Amino acid sequence: MGEQAVKISEVTLTKEDFTSDQTVRWCPGCGDYAILSAMQKALPEMGIAKEDLVFVSGIGCAARFPYYLSTYGFHTIHGRGPAVATGVKLANPALSVWEIQGDGDALAIGGNHFIHALRRNVDINILMFNNEIYGLTKGQYSPTSQQGLITTSTPMGSIERPFSAGEVALGSQATFFARTIDTNPKLMSSIFIEAEQHRGTSLVEVLQNCIIYNDKTHALITAKENRDDFQLHLEHGKPMLFGAGKSKGLRLNGLKLEIVTLGENGITEDDILVHDALEPDPTLHQMLVRMRPPEFPMALGVIRAVKAWTYDEGLAAQLAEGQAKAKIKSVKDLLLSGETWEVS
Amino acid sequence: MTATAKKRVELDRVVIRFVGDSGDGMQLTGSQFTYTSAMLGNDIATLPDFPAEIRAPQGTMEGVSGFQVQIGAVDIHTPGDEADVLVAMNPAALRANLKWLRTGGHLIVDLDDFEGKNLKRAGYDQDPLEDGSLDGYSLTRAPITSLTKEALKGVDLSTKGIVRCKNMFALGIVYWLFNRDPERTLRFITEKFRKDPALIEANTKALQAGYFYAETVEALPSSYEIAPASIAPGLYRHIAGNQAIAWGLMAAAERLGSDLFFGSYPITPASDILHELTRHRGMGVLAFQAEDEIAAVCSAIGAAFAGQLAITASSGPGIALKGEAMGLAVMAELPLVIVDVQRAGPSTGLPTKTEQADLNIALHGRNGESPVIVLAARSPAQCFEAAYMAAKLAIEHMTPVILLSDGYLANGTEPWRIPDLDAMPDIKRHAPSADVATPFQPYLRDPTTLARYWAVPGTPGLEHRIGGLEKADVDGNISYDPMNHQKMVDLRAEKVARVADHIPAQSVRCEQSGKVLVIGWGGTYGSLLTAVTELEAAGESVGLAHFEYLNPLPANTEEVLSHFEHILVCELNSGQFARYLKGLFPEHRFHQLNKVQGLPFRVNEVKDKIMELCHG
Ligand SMILES: Cc1ncc(C[n+]2csc(CCOP(=O)(O)OP(=O)(O)O)c2C)c(N)n1
Ligand code: SF4
Ligand SMILES: [Mg+2]
């Protein structure tokens, strides 16, 4: 990490240290509980001093998240969290800034801020809880709802084509994109830690279940009987294998991904694509984020983590250069700059 | 150089308007005349008049750019109602601006440009120089283009480059006419074009040629003298409104010991604040161009939460977009300055024209009971102090402050006595003391101001959560309790109301009691003050209360009103301040003077209205 590295906590903190005194008010069984718990576990491992952590959010069920952590927190307005988080980080680069959004918050009302945050690459971490529904406002379809979904605002089924959050993110030049799921606490915690370590905007999509308005929307991926076939856990430098006993893998056939089975038609592990999260060219990452069951497994893990110049680095460099070169060093100098004349 | 041969006439004040194609360099010409005159000790006010289009077709009315300046041996508060001298570089400029020249005024035109296709492009069927339509003016037909070409023969420039120097020729004429030494501009030319000797030579020759031309031709029988004004001694500079806002904010940040965060999205006429601030990264100015106005204000709110002096600026359309976020700052009780450089609306309206019609949105334009402090700057230079005070009040009272400026102030300039920064009032953070009770109570208030503490991330032990949901009194947790909501709404209102104890009393200029009290606010100050001063001098019983603090109003407002028989509220909208005052002080009788033409008040129209009340 750069010179503005976040201060390391002097004492070892525990999960309890990150729990606020507020009663958690999500519906019983909501996936958000598991995400909160995974974050409370991950935070002590990051070793960041508690006072240097700021959780910003927009509006929605997801956006209540900051109230339940004992760090600094700011629950703002619908969709604007990335803009507020950007201001916090630019004002004090020594802070570890997190921004929590729902799918509606991020991709509907806040779409503009979402894409520009990723494009700018300010060093903040965005967690998007994707339940493919508007939870807080009682179950209307969202920009990630599947076509045909019956919701409170689409009694005859949703007409719109859904966004893939990852595709939007990569199209916005995201330097870090990871996907995880609320049923996998370990994966969540480890990805949160990796997101924190990445310099630049880290986007983590958490597939989350809204038990009330869109229950089992991710069931195809999470159900025990499908899990192996429909989850591809990507690890940098490892072959893209999945299925029972890691018997299946992905390879490229022309410009398309294809599922192959090891041992069939002479396929060996050498034919399988090896995951390269650090590759700047997003082409393959785009293909991976687009995959969806039942045709393909869902890609989980850190899909993209490329090094790139961050906005905060650029700003710090300009501030330093400005300071070094400035002839005008104070407001007094400024007032006296240019043409002045004395009246006596 | 000296001009002695001809007659010299003494004047108190004079208004000169330079107009031409946007490519003709009229802004430069006007500002050179302004600077030279200021250094000679004249009092001054200027107003550029830009076309809305960046580069409209050459020679058309849409492409005309102008610069008006009033200089005086007496106090000058406005760029003037009407021009005494109009310099028109082409037919379109004449056609668009003749209405600004007073009857009998002096008109100088570039004769070379008044021919066939140029006349047609400007929309003239016949040559106005020949058809008698200019008989009411004193007309100088100066062959500016051809004489410039003649004077610049042998200079190593293309014909196009040579013709571009004609503005300096015109400036030379005006310098002679007002007996100004062109020396300062000659130095300016040498400095500006130091990398290009041909341009130095060309501009210098053109300026001198114009000066000598004026001295010799008979078309200009006399020159004029405007003596220095009696101006308070001190060191002076020029300043435009937007620049003054930027500098006032920087002064506040420096005094506070904070970096300055400025989140903004470009919009006319506010963009120059962004341009100015981005130049000062070296002084810790974090000017951030956001993806839209909402992100601009939200980034500023984030920076305020993180402990910096945070600002956003826009014009009407952008202010409308920021409404929801301003409400968040009200609820979160964070310091934030929102600058609104007003332009004529609604919607896109007249982007380059001035208006004061955003008062309602400033006072009321948010959902819920959402009071904010509202200030209005009154002159280009006073924008400095207004911006400083806006920042001070935001920080000390932990609340958003809206500062209203307008297109007229933004681009207008005036000489400004450089203030003593040490004499500016201190700005103190309401930061929690080291022994503040734990757990930290984010909505514990200062008993006098009711401001909550500004506890910033990075401070151990003060971790807390805030947000847009209603807060419980003191501990700041989410609260849906009806009585708590009532209490918090009342507290937020009371916090803003108490600011009245921390701002100056409303002063009255001219008569302190009597027949007519003129009330104004914001950028109309110059016109209103000129009108009232002139009428008072003529023996009328009239005073002026010009408001800088609009919410809350100064504590003595009611008393000020009570000293006059009639109250005349003058504003460049359909009566927004008048309605506000009527609501607050229903027992007083209010009259109104309103104008929504994208133009400032003329002194005369204000005087006429006052006279109606004095003698009606
Ligand atoms: C300006 C504005 N418009 C609408 C709303 C109402 N609203 C609150 S949350 C929300 C959608 C939330 O959906 P999502 O972001 O997916 O979060 P979830 O509740 O599913 O976690 C809406 C429409 C609002 N609070 N503010
Ligand atoms: S509505 Fe859905 S997303 Fe919201 S708290 Fe309940 S279960 Fe969770
Ligand atoms: Mg949702």
Side-chain angles (χ1 to χ4, degrees), chain A residues 72 120 318 337 339 341 343, chain B residues 184 236-237 281 291 459:
Chain A
Y72 282 94
R120 266 188 210 109
Q318 288 195 357
S337 65
E339 198 158 43
W341 69 94
V343 173
Chain B
R184 199 202 137 278
Y236 281 76
R237 63 168 302 122
R281 285 247 203 272
E291 57 273 21
T459 321

Side-chain angles (χ1 to χ4, degrees), chain B residues 140-184:
Chain B
T140 302
R141 299 173 169 85
I144 295 178
T145 306
S146 50
L147 289 177
T148 304
K149 283 185 187 160
E150 184 65 32
L152 269 55
K153 249 188 203 151
V155 175
D156 184 22
L157 276 183
S158 65
T159 313
K160 206 172 150 201
I162 285 177
V163 170
R164 289 192 66 174
C165 297
K166 66 184 178 181
N167 63 329
M168 285 298 126
F169 190 98
L171 181 61
I173 298 179
V174 180
Y175 272 152
W176 180 84
L177 194 58
F178 292 98
N179 193 31
R180 319 259 98 149
D181 192 336
E183 183 50 37
R184 199 202 137 278

Side-chain angles (χ1 to χ4, degrees), chain A residues 2-37:
Chain A
E3 44 184 336
Q4 283 286 9
V6 170
K7 191 164 69 201
I8 298 303
S9 173
E10 281 161 22
V11 286
T12 314
L13 298 166
T14 63
K15 184 178 173 192
E16 284 63 44
D17 290 316
F18 287 100
T19 307
S20 82
D21 60 354
Q22 297 299 293
T23 321
V24 183
R25 297 189 202 211
W26 289 308
C27 305
C30 174
D32 290 352
Y33 283 96
I35 309 176
L36 176 65
S37 166

Side-chain angles (χ1 to χ4, degrees), chain A residues 36-48:
Chain A
L36 176 65
S37 166
M39 179 59 79
Q40 286 164 336
K41 274 207 197 93
L43 287 173
E45 287 189 47
M46 292 176 204
I48 299 165

Side-chain angles (χ1 to χ4, degrees), chain A residues 232-251:
Chain A
L232 168 65
H233 289 259
L234 291 170
E235 281 180 72
H236 178 68
K238 300 264 172 72
M240 300 183 191
L241 291 170
F242 64 103
K246 300 268 182 217
S247 56
K248 294 195 261 187
L250 287 180
R251 74 167 185 187

Side-chain angles (χ1 to χ4, degrees), chain B residues 37 42 47 124 196 201 273 353 370 398 400 419 425 480 535 548:
Chain B
S37 300
N42 293 131
L47 187 67
Y124 279 120
D196 196 336
E201 187 190 352
I273 302 175
K353 302 294 171 195
S370 189
M398 291 293 283
Y480 298 103
L535 288 180
E548 285 155 38

Side-chain angles (χ1 to χ4, degrees), chain B residues 379-421:
Chain B
S379 79
Q382 198 267 339
C383 282
F384 179 86
E385 187 195 319
Y388 187 93
M389 288 308 293
K392 174 178 162 71
L393 293 177
I395 300 281
E396 294 185 346
H397 297 265
M398 291 293 283
T399 172
V401 175
I402 295 181
L403 171 61
L404 294 171
S405 175
D406 61 46
Y408 172 80
L409 296 181
N411 297 315
T413 69
E414 59 183 350
W416 179 45
R417 186 158 66 144
I418 297 173
D420 174 7
L421 291 172

